[in-house]
Amino acid sequence: MKKPELLAPAGNMESLKIAIEAGCDAVYLGGHMFGARSFALNFSNEEIKEAVKYAHLYGVKIYITVNTLVYEDEVETFMNYIDFLYRANVDAVIIQDLGMLDLVRQTYPLLEVHASTQMHIHNLEGVKLIEKLGVKRAVLARETDIDLIKEIKKNTNIELEIFVHGALCISYSGQCLISSLIGGRSGNRGSCAGSCRQKYDLIVDQKKINKEEYLLSTKDLNTLEHLGELIESGVESFKIEGRMKRPEYVYLVVKLYRKAIDEYCKNKKIQMNENDILELKKIFNREFTKGFLFHEKETDLMNQKRPNHMGIPIGKVIDYRKGVVTIQLYSRLQNGDGIRILGKNDSGTIVTKILQNKKQKKQVEKGIIEIPYKESVQIGNTVLKTTDKKQLEEINKIFSNKNRKVPITLELELIKNQKPKIRLFDGKNKIEIIGDNNVEAAIKTPLSLERIQEQISKFGDSVYQVTKMDIKKDPEIFISIKELNELRRKAIVTLNEKRCYSYPYKKCGYQREVPDFPVEKVKTALICSENHYKTVEKENLKYIYVENEELFQIHKTKTCVIQKLPRVLHHIKPNQNLVLVGELGSIFAYPQVFTDWSLNVVNSYSAAFLFSLGVKKVTLSYELDEKRMQLLITAYKKRYHAHPNLELIIYGNEEVMISKFHLLKQFHITNKIGYLKDRFSNLYPIYEESNFMKIYSPKPRKMFSIDYYDLGINSLRYQFLEESEEQIKKVMKNDLSRKNRTIKRMDS
């Protein structure tokens, strides 16, 4: 049984160092560009260099997140950044963008690449595809359950990485557009607004049916109790989420998972301490769940009460008057702790003064206390502790001691009339340093073995700790303490250089062969009902896409009817027909495919990569505007000397989220459509089908401003969700191929 890598998050240098002190094997972090956590402090280029050197001294790897979508006009900057990271000796880069993955793999074939969870890899075929491309590791979707993980591991040779602790997204990562399309802050571009943590009402038949307001807010993932089964699955890396979290959080979570992994690998069992879970809850929790890894009940997945830190309950309000709250306390509270009092409007404060029996106390274990409190609260309200000052102080005290050391073996030879020799071995690297002067016979007082041992083992502030020492010496010898110190110093410097390894640098050219597609001006439509089909079949459409299986079976004999496969497929069935697909596994499995918007194509490299795999048509991402479409097409034609077969969705409600969680089912709603109502009274249609929940945008996109055929698009798509026959006919009258609208072309 191989011990899995424990992979820790770091949003800044302090978090990186404290994660290493806690015992992680690797750290993932982002720079100031192209990272999916743009609101973390992140690392400057100089800090990345420092982080790599610091981590490598401790034997810890550094992975850099460059896992956002990259627009055409950003590619040169992106590749310059990759080149910098490569030369800085990072151990791997984590990538989402398909085109950039292909470009990096070709340009830097020796640079290790990991496929981000944003790439939406959730089935065996998807893993096989990226394995074929030379990717070293796949970060699986959080929704992948343990049985499928085992199946993937058994049938592939690529490394697998899974999330084991931290915040969950309610939508499949890389497939959530709600923040981008509604608020202009793209999760695929690193600036997610956390729309799933906002308040919503569930509307069915024009009535609100929910009590709790945070309908899409999940609990936090916690797999400590099931870590043994995950270890047995053979997964190479266990990832902790938390680049936005405080350093103390990172330390505590990493420390507990380090302890659990080591314990299981040694004893085949994990002794869970109730106090460990309590400490986790104090540092941060939205309540805990096993997520989809272990088939958690959907009702146990969500925390719809509130989306932020829950803290731990420590008391009840028994009185409030004149800015002072009286609390029945049943757990420790001290000055500097943070509390929140629940009520109609939750409020919180940092405790600065505690009175018990009219005496001021720094700390109280239990009993009746009074504290100043500005906000008015009600008798009976629950008091939560959200920050534990003592906990933070203890963690920082441990960190300040820097107890993590690299164990080394030291050998020392002190032979008369020969130069002294010191050898250090860290388990991987072995170095030898020879002194400048010969060891002499002692004239007066010989240097004792004890004195030599004491002096040579003083490794001070270095990362090393001597765990085994072998000294070979002649009797009655002398060597100066200064020379012993210099011998040790040179040995440390040399071993440091060995541990701060450099990867071989190799840069190659990029090339992709792609077909030259004919220029076309066609229209397609995606439908979801028989009434839709009857309406659109009268139009001059090249293809009609049908996702509903029953509806497809009725019309599959028509040459224009194409099946749209779900963008989440845990097990892929054989299919030789032309299909519209929305995930990587289907591209690997099926011989004839069009790709949908959910492949997130925003640059010419992604389009070319898909065409080189045999894809016959590529649908562009919803996150492209007209300017960037033109940049993409112009660059494509210039680089590949060919015309791309691109489709653009010009009308329809966008799917802003897809989830394994079923909101309607939670409220026992069947055979009806529900709507999420946000604080601006927008209504988002909710459909539950094929074991998944889809949430759509409140209003359909309408891109009728220019002639997209003139731009270089071959195919324009309409998508119909709830439209009536009259509405469809009205939309279809916007036949752009007959209009004389043009767009001013930009210089290539």
Side-chain angles (χ1 to χ4, degrees):
M1 177 180 57
K2 185 179 179 181
K3 186 180 289 190
E5 170 189 85
L6 180 56
L7 178 56
N12 56 34
M13 190 65 73
E14 185 182 0
S15 290
L16 175 129
K17 290 181 178 180
I18 206 167
I20 291 172
E21 178 64 23
C24 69
D25 301 303
V27 178
Y28 68 101
L29 55 93
H32 289 161
M33 296 185 291
F34 305 110
R37 288 291 183 271
S38 62
F39 298 119
L41 292 176
N42 293 320
F43 290 69
S44 67
N45 285 3
E46 287 304 312
E47 285 175 325
I48 288 174
K49 290 180 184 178
E50 180 187 347
V52 170
K53 182 177 180 180
Y54 184 90
H56 285 180
L57 282 176
Y58 282 95
V60 172
K61 293 183 176 181
I62 293 289
Y63 308 143
I64 306 293
T65 58
V66 279
N67 56 340
T68 61
L69 300 181
V70 179
Y71 291 130
E72 196 70 44
D73 54 340
E74 298 172 330
V75 173
E76 183 178 355
T77 302
F78 177 86
M79 290 303 289
N80 287 338
Y81 184 51
I82 293 291
D83 191 85
F84 158 74
L85 296 175
Y86 190 6
R87 293 177 186 272
N89 290 307
V90 304
D91 296 279
V93 291
I94 306 169
I95 296 179
Q96 171 190 9
D97 191 290
L98 280 171
M100 295 304 97
L101 182 143
D102 184 39
L103 181 57
V104 169
R105 285 290 305 131
Q106 288 199 48
T107 308
Y108 303 109
L110 301 183
L111 176 61
E112 186 169 313
V113 174
H114 298 175
S116 171
T117 189
Q118 293 286 122
M119 203 171 276
H120 186 45
I121 300 168
H122 61 278
N123 53 38
L124 174 61
E125 290 78 7
V127 175
K128 283 184 174 180
L129 176 60
I130 63 162
E131 181 181 13
K132 181 180 177 182
L133 299 174
V135 174
K136 181 70 178 296
R137 177 183 295 182
V139 186
L140 295 178
R142 291 173 175 89
E143 292 79 2
T144 315
D145 66 50
I146 185 64
D147 299 321
L148 184 52
I149 289 171
K150 291 176 181 177
E151 180 186 339
I152 292 171
K153 189 62 207 167
K154 184 178 178 180
N155 291 283
T156 58
N157 296 312
I158 193 172
E159 290 184 1
L160 299 181
E161 178 179 302
I162 60 171
F163 285 86
V164 295
H165 194 95
L168 291 171
C169 295
I170 189 62
S171 174
Y172 277 81
S173 295
Q175 300 297 294
C176 182
L177 298 176
I178 189 167
S179 177
S180 172
L181 298 181
I182 307 304
R185 286 170 49 177
S186 169
N188 285 320
R189 296 277 294 166
S191 55
C192 176
S195 301
C196 57
R197 304 291 184 188
Q198 304 300 315
K199 292 182 179 180
Y200 296 97
D201 288 332
L202 178 58
I203 307 298
V204 177
D205 293 335
Q206 299 183 334
K207 296 179 181 178
K208 174 185 173 181
I209 65 171
N210 59 296
K211 179 180 178 183
E212 306 294 354
E213 296 179 303
Y214 297 98
L215 297 176
L216 300 180
S217 186
T218 61
K219 297 177 182 178
D220 283 353
L221 180 64
N222 180 348
T223 65
L224 274 170
E225 295 183 18
H226 300 271
L227 219 52
E229 188 172 356
L230 293 177
I231 293 171
E232 294 290 348
S233 74
V235 169
E236 280 78 7
S237 183
F238 291 171
K239 187 173 200 169
I240 295 167
E241 182 277 338
R243 281 195 287 148
M244 301 284 287
K245 298 292 198 309
R246 64 195 307 165
E248 294 88 352
Y249 170 91
V250 173
Y251 177 86
L252 182 61
V253 177
V254 172
K255 193 71 175 177
L256 291 176
Y257 277 84
R258 174 80 280 152
K259 172 185 169 186
I261 291 170
D262 292 347
E263 187 177 336
Y264 185 84
C265 290
K266 182 179 180 180
N267 302 318
K268 284 283 187 175
K269 62 181 180 179
I270 298 171
Q271 294 287 347
M272 286 303 302
N273 186 327
E274 289 185 8
N275 189 60
D276 290 343
I277 301 300
L278 179 63
E279 292 300 306
L280 279 178
K281 288 182 177 180
K282 283 196 291 187
I283 200 79
F284 190 90
N285 83 92
R286 296 184 179 96
E287 297 183 343
F288 291 128
T289 175
K290 296 175 289 187
F292 291 107
L293 269 170
F294 296 99
H295 310 287
E296 185 84 286
K297 293 180 181 178
E298 290 193 12
T299 52
D300 294 328
L301 179 72
M302 310 300 290
N303 177 2
Q304 297 173 335
K305 298 174 184 176
R306 60 182 55 83
N308 48 18
H309 179 29
M310 296 288 291
I312 59 170
I314 61 167
K316 292 279 187 183
V317 174
I318 59 175
D319 194 17
Y320 179 81
R321 63 182 68 184
K322 297 180 180 180
V324 175
V325 61
T326 305
I327 299 170
Q328 177 69 56
L329 190 70
Y330 46 78
S331 185
R332 178 176 53 82
L333 185 70
Q334 72 176 72
N335 286 331
D337 285 350
I339 65 168
R340 179 187 300 133
I341 298 180
L342 303 183
K344 186 175 182 181
N345 295 304
D346 295 354
S347 58
T349 190
I350 301 295
V351 177
T352 58
K353 184 179 180 181
I354 305 174
L355 291 175
Q356 188 174 47
N357 298 324
K358 299 183 179 180
K359 294 181 180 180
Q360 194 163 326
K361 301 286 187 74
K362 292 183 178 179
Q363 177 178 309
V364 176
E365 294 296 330
K366 60 182 179 179
I368 296 174
I369 64 167
E370 294 178 335
I371 63 172
Y373 206 79
K374 293 181 180 179
E375 302 294 329
S376 178
V377 294
Q378 300 296 315
I379 293 174
N381 287 358
T382 298
V383 181
L384 303 176
K385 184 194 288 187
T386 54
T387 304
D388 189 308
K389 183 182 178 184
K390 184 177 180 181
Q391 180 189 50
L392 300 182
E393 287 176 343
E394 288 176 350
I395 291 173
N396 284 298
K397 183 179 179 180
I398 293 170
F399 175 55
S400 64
N401 292 332
K402 292 189 177 177
N403 293 316
R404 181 167 180 172
K405 296 290 182 182
V406 176
I408 59 171
T409 298
L410 183 152
E411 296 175 358
L412 182 65
E413 287 187 11
L414 300 174
I415 309 299
K416 288 178 185 177
N417 301 319
Q418 293 183 21
K419 293 180 178 179
K421 296 178 182 177
I422 186 173
R423 301 183 189 93
L424 301 181
F425 180 55
D426 64 3
K428 181 179 180 182
N429 304 290
K430 191 168 187 176
I431 61 100
E432 180 180 80
I433 300 296
I434 300 174
D436 296 329
N437 304 306
N438 288 344
V439 177
E440 300 174 355
I443 298 174
K444 293 182 180 180
T445 307
L447 206 57
S448 68
L449 178 61
E450 291 76 14
R451 183 75 174 97
I452 294 170
Q453 288 174 333
E454 177 188 358
Q455 200 62 34
I456 203 66
S457 60
K458 289 182 177 180
F459 277 74
D461 292 333
S462 76
V463 302
Y464 307 113
Q465 182 178 40
V466 178
T467 54
K468 184 179 179 182
M469 186 183 302
D470 183 15
I471 298 177
K472 296 178 182 178
K473 65 179 282 294
D474 284 345
E476 307 294 318
I477 62 161
F478 176 80
I479 181 173
S480 71
I481 297 300
K482 180 179 179 182
E483 189 164 359
L484 275 179
N485 290 342
E486 182 63 12
L487 201 63
R488 184 190 61 241
R489 187 194 67 80
K490 288 181 178 179
I492 291 173
V493 170
T494 304
L495 187 55
N496 283 351
E497 291 172 353
K498 282 275 190 179
R499 293 180 68 81
C500 292
Y501 47 83
S502 294
Y503 286 103
Y505 181 86
K506 183 179 181 181
K507 186 174 183 178
C508 302
Y510 163 83
Q511 187 176 5
R512 272 290 171 208
E513 296 295 328
V514 298
D516 185 14
F517 292 97
V519 176
E520 293 184 297
K521 295 183 178 181
V522 303
K523 293 189 294 184
T524 66
L526 173 67
I527 62 167
C528 60
S529 72
E530 180 63 25
N531 288 336
H532 286 170
Y533 179 82
K534 290 178 180 179
T535 305
V536 301
E537 71 170 338
K538 302 170 186 177
E539 301 292 332
N540 184 27
L541 298 177
K542 181 71 177 285
Y543 295 111
I544 299 174
Y545 303 125
V546 180
E547 185 170 11
N548 180 281
E549 178 69 26
E550 184 178 340
L551 186 61
F552 173 73
Q553 291 300 327
I554 294 173
H555 300 289
K556 66 180 181 180
T557 57
K558 308 286 178 56
T559 56
C560 67
V561 174
I562 303 294
Q563 185 175 18
K564 178 186 184 298
L565 298 179
R567 56 176 161 144
V568 178
L569 286 169
H570 290 133
H571 295 91
I572 294 179
K573 300 176 182 178
N575 194 329
Q576 296 298 312
N577 299 318
L578 178 61
V579 287
L580 176 64
V581 304
E583 53 85 37
L584 291 175
S586 297
I587 298 173
F588 180 85
Y590 298 133
Q592 301 186 77
V593 298
F594 294 162
T595 60
D596 210 354
W597 60 267
S598 53
L599 268 294
N600 292 320
V601 173
V602 299
N603 58 62
S604 59
Y605 294 90
S606 294
F609 173 63
L610 290 171
F611 288 134
S612 73
L613 293 176
V615 171
K616 299 181 180 299
K617 181 163 65 175
V618 170
T619 305
L620 295 177
S621 166
Y622 283 128
E623 299 191 82
L624 276 177
D625 58 23
E626 293 159 357
K627 176 183 176 181
R628 288 198 164 100
M629 283 181 218
Q630 185 166 30
L631 286 172
L632 184 158
I633 295 169
T634 301
Y636 187 99
K637 291 180 177 180
K638 183 177 180 180
R639 186 180 310 109
Y640 306 109
H641 307 289
H643 181 73
N645 190 20
L646 301 177
E647 181 158 293
L648 176 67
I649 300 169
I650 60 170
Y651 175 86
N653 294 75
E654 303 101 335
E655 287 181 40
V656 297
M657 189 180 291
I658 184 168
S659 177
K660 285 180 78 172
F661 170 67
H662 297 80
L663 184 60
L664 297 181
K665 187 184 294 184
Q666 177 189 344
F667 289 91
H668 309 290
I669 305 299
T670 57
N671 301 320
K672 290 184 180 181
I673 299 174
Y675 297 88
L676 275 181
K677 182 179 179 181
D678 67 14
R679 63 186 187 277
F680 304 112
S681 296
N682 294 312
L683 293 174
Y684 303 76
I686 305 170
Y687 284 73
E688 292 183 356
E689 55 190 35
S690 301
N691 299 317
F692 298 99
M693 174 180 69
K694 296 178 183 177
I695 300 177
Y696 290 83
S697 59
K699 298 177 182 178
R701 72 195 267 120
K702 298 177 181 179
M703 299 183 68
F704 301 140
S705 60
I706 65 169
D707 190 335
Y708 292 100
Y709 295 140
D710 186 59
L711 196 66
I713 302 293
N714 270 5
S715 179
L716 304 180
R717 188 198 305 179
Y718 302 92
Q719 297 192 154
F720 300 115
L721 184 67
E722 299 178 316
E723 287 82 358
S724 64
E725 178 181 354
E726 183 179 342
Q727 288 173 320
I728 291 175
K729 288 179 179 179
K730 184 177 180 180
V731 169
M732 297 292 282
K733 285 182 180 179
N734 288 288
D735 188 345
L736 302 182
S737 63
R738 299 196 195 106
K739 296 186 178 182
N740 294 319
R741 298 174 180 173
T742 60
I743 183 172
K744 183 179 180 182
R745 295 193 177 277
M746 302 178 66
D747 293 334
S748 59

